[in-house]
Amino acid sequence: MPPFSRISVLGPGLLGGSLALALQARRPDADLRLWARRPGAEAEIRARGIRAAFFTDASAACAGADLVILATPVETMPALAEVIARTELAPDAVVTDVGSVKGSVVNALSPILGDRFLGSHPMAGSEKTGIATARADLFEGAACLLTPGPGQDARRLRALWESLGCRVLEMSPGEHDRKVARISHLPHWLAVVTTLAALRGDPEAVACAAGGFRDTTRVAGGDPDLWTGISLANREALLASLHEASSVLTELVEILAKPDEEALRRCLAEAKSLRDLLPAAQP
Amino acid sequence: MPPFSRISVLGPGLLGGSLALALQARRPDADLRLWARRPGAEAEIRARGIRAAFFTDASAACAGADLVILATPVETMPALAEVIARTELAPDAVVTDVGSVKGSVVNALSPILGDRFLGSHPMAGSEKTGIATARADLFEGAACLLTPGPGQDARRLRALWESLGCRVLEMSPGEHDRKVARISHLPHWLAVVTTLAALRGDPEAVACAAGGFRDTTRVAGGDPDLWTGISLANREALLASLHEASSVLTELVEILAKPDEEALRRCLAEAKSLRDLLPAAQP
């Protein structure tokens, strides 16, 4: 299976821009193309040193491609998929995305693109968005979750992500959404809860903040539009995780209200042992 | 008012060890003494390059001191205060602490030490504990909260913390405990909730973790004994903050369950604008 050689990236934000930078560094042989809605995006990508051919016509950007990567907000993907479906790609072409949810994306895109579509989710990003924050090493050491359907072969796509430095895991779209609700969307929401509960009633308390507040709430500085879209697209799994969080919070509040010192120590020790599962070196 | 010249630090953990390193760098003229319960601590402090005179007898460590800094867990402070009260300090001596709560510490220590005691809380630390993690620059740029009682003059103590790089704020012990419950203890508990809700039901989801999970839950890797003590000592203010967090969580879950897209976007935008109050450069 030859590596992809004509790669179109749609959407030059943090992820699309980082993909372009990483691909031109790691795959200088590939024919790289970048699409954006706005003509003004070209100056921005050139300012970041991206040499890819630039298009504002999505069909022209994808013609003949053997890999198309959708790096736009999830709500805009179906319309782009319709354009791609009407475009002549390479015969063995693969279309993938970098969206934070997979069930709704696969359900929306597979009927349009058929077996060409195979979802990806590189677990990399930042509370910052846009091409200005893109970096060639964004995917280095990150997990990338692929969601091949029955009978779909993910090897060629896996090799691409591995060439960018990712650890690749394969799972179903449903399992993806449940795991990512736990490990990414829930932490985002609890960072929002922490920020609102801490500062709504006393914004001046921010003057006392140290590293704990800064890190615990970092992602709450993320783009509200982006996170509205992600939350609605993974609503069911996120609600299940939020109900779990609500039960845990109730349990801990009861323990502290009593107070039951031994139960408190046990819960804090349980949380520490679970947190310590995270490898220290992981990005 | 001359600066303190004979300084005793009690407890060579992360904070006490960092104080010793910072004082010997910034105040090489001061006579610095360090007390630990365990004789074995001496080899550990020497290994970190701390040159202070070492004592396992707290009274000997404090004799003649014009500043005593309690850097032990809050539960052990009253017994040490009794020893200090029986020791002849310098006539104008100040005793302070670095504990994470102030109401209960001031209530316990002021009757023993009288007006000599004036609480401090440098907002610096780490999920790691112990002398191995001590650093001379730990206090650089950190907020330090002082809680002088009526008629107490905090200027000399303020100058000391400022000489270590702190931004000093003064407030009552009650206000301290409410602000710190919001900005430090609540984030700690919600990091614990996030970790338990994310991983109790599926520890393998940790393989998908990225920077969001890592940062949001970092402090949940902290010492369970230390945080049991802090939580119990600031129980009332922490419970008030946790009830606030529980209301916010319920509000957000209702919005997502509907779903009310506009209300969701509004809450995420409110959280972002509050989080953005934190100066980017703050440690």
Side-chain angles (χ1 to χ4, degrees), chain A residues 185-207:
Chain A
H185 305 168
L186 173 72
H188 191 97
W189 274 59
L190 290 184
V192 167
V193 169
T194 305
T195 304
L196 292 174
L199 295 181
R200 253 183 184 170
D202 183 8
E204 288 179 14
V206 80

Side-chain angles (χ1 to χ4, degrees), chain B residues 62 147 166 199 236:
Chain B
C62 297
T147 59
C166 289
L199 295 181
E236 202 180 320

Side-chain angles (χ1 to χ4, degrees), chain A residues 165-246:
Chain A
C166 290
R167 295 177 290 111
V168 173
L169 300 164
E170 294 182 28
M171 59 190 70
S172 71
E175 192 188 350
H176 169 278
D177 286 357
R178 287 187 295 276
K179 279 209 195 301
V180 168
R182 289 181 177 280
I183 211 76
S184 168
H185 305 168
L186 173 72
H188 191 97
W189 274 59
L190 290 184
V192 167
V193 169
T194 305
T195 304
L196 292 174
L199 295 181
R200 253 183 184 170
D202 183 8
E204 288 179 14
V206 80
C208 306
F213 182 79
R214 184 198 54 206
D215 285 359
T216 309
T217 61
R218 177 177 60 80
V219 293
D223 178 23
D225 290 324
L226 180 69
W227 279 93
T228 298
I230 291 172
S231 301
L232 292 173
N234 199 22
R235 191 167 146 258
E236 202 179 319
L238 176 55
L239 279 170
S241 280
L242 288 169
H243 284 302
E244 223 165 313
S246 183

Side-chain angles (χ1 to χ4, degrees), chain A residues 215 218 225 235 257 265 275, chain B residues 215 218 225 235 257 265:
Chain A
D215 285 359
R218 177 177 60 80
D225 290 324
R235 191 167 146 258
R265 186 173 280 115
R275 177 56 174 67
Chain B
D215 284 359
R218 177 177 61 80
D225 289 325
R235 189 166 146 258
R265 185 173 282 114

Side-chain angles (χ1 to χ4, degrees), chain A residues 76-160:
Chain A
T76 68
M77 289 180 185
L80 281 169
E82 297 283 3
V83 174
I84 295 166
R86 291 193 298 267
T87 302
E88 192 157 352
L89 309 182
D92 55 351
V94 171
V95 181
T96 192
D97 74 316
V98 296
S100 301
V101 290
K102 285 280 130 339
S104 59
V105 168
V106 171
N107 286 342
L109 271 52
S110 291
I112 303 171
L113 294 164
D115 261 356
R116 288 190 159 174
F117 182 72
L118 202 167
S120 304
H121 181 193
M123 301 297 294
S126 162
E127 77 283 12
K128 310 252 175 19
T129 51
I131 185 74
T133 55
R135 352 185 291 253
D137 66 352
L138 186 70
F139 305 103
E140 203 67 62
C144 182
L145 316 184
L146 303 187
T147 60
Q152 273 189 312
D153 184 342
R155 281 177 294 174
R156 206 171 169 207
L157 194 56
R158 170 187 277 267
L160 178 95

Side-chain angles (χ1 to χ4, degrees), chain B residues 70-283:
Chain B
L70 293 161
T72 61
V74 292
E75 334 51 291
T76 68
M77 290 180 186
L80 281 168
E82 297 283 2
V83 173
I84 296 165
R86 291 192 299 268
T87 302
E88 192 156 351
L89 309 181
D92 54 352
V94 171
V95 181
T96 192
D97 74 315
V98 296
S100 301
V101 290
K102 284 281 128 343
S104 59
V105 167
V106 171
N107 286 342
L109 270 52
S110 291
I112 303 170
L113 293 163
D115 261 355
R116 289 190 159 175
F117 182 72
L118 202 167
S120 303
H121 181 192
M123 301 298 294
S126 162
E127 76 283 13
K128 308 251 174 23
T129 51
I131 184 76
T133 54
R135 351 186 292 255
D137 66 352
L138 185 71
F139 305 103
E140 202 68 61
C144 182
L145 317 184
L146 304 187
T147 59
Q152 272 188 312
D153 184 343
R155 281 177 295 174
R156 206 170 168 206
L157 193 56
R158 169 187 278 268
L160 178 96
W161 287 112
E162 287 174 347
S163 75
L164 304 184
C166 289
R167 294 177 290 112
V168 174
L169 300 165
E170 294 182 28
M171 58 189 71
S172 72
E175 192 188 350
H176 168 277
D177 287 358
R178 286 187 296 275
K179 280 210 194 303
V180 168
R182 287 180 179 281
I183 210 77
S184 168
H185 304 167
L186 174 71
H188 191 96
W189 273 61
L190 289 184
V192 167
V193 169
T194 305
T195 305
L196 292 174
L199 295 181
R200 253 183 184 169
D202 182 7
E204 288 178 13
V206 80
C208 306
F213 182 80
R214 184 199 55 206
D215 284 359
T216 309
T217 62
R218 177 177 61 80
V219 295
D223 178 23
D225 289 325
L226 180 69
W227 279 92
T228 298
I230 291 172
S231 301
L232 292 173
N234 199 22
R235 189 166 146 258
E236 202 180 320
L238 176 54
L239 278 170
S241 280
L242 288 169
H243 285 303
E244 224 165 314
S246 182
S247 304
V248 172
L249 180 55
T250 302
E251 174 194 344
L252 291 184
V253 167
E254 280 169 8
I255 287 170
L256 184 62
K258 260 181 191 176
D260 181 342
E261 183 170 344
E262 270 325 295
L264 179 50
R265 185 173 282 114
R266 218 163 34 235
C267 283
L268 293 174
E270 184 190 359
K272 178 174 171 54
S273 71
L274 287 168
R275 176 56 174 67
D276 288 349
L277 294 174
L278 194 67
Q282 199 158 305

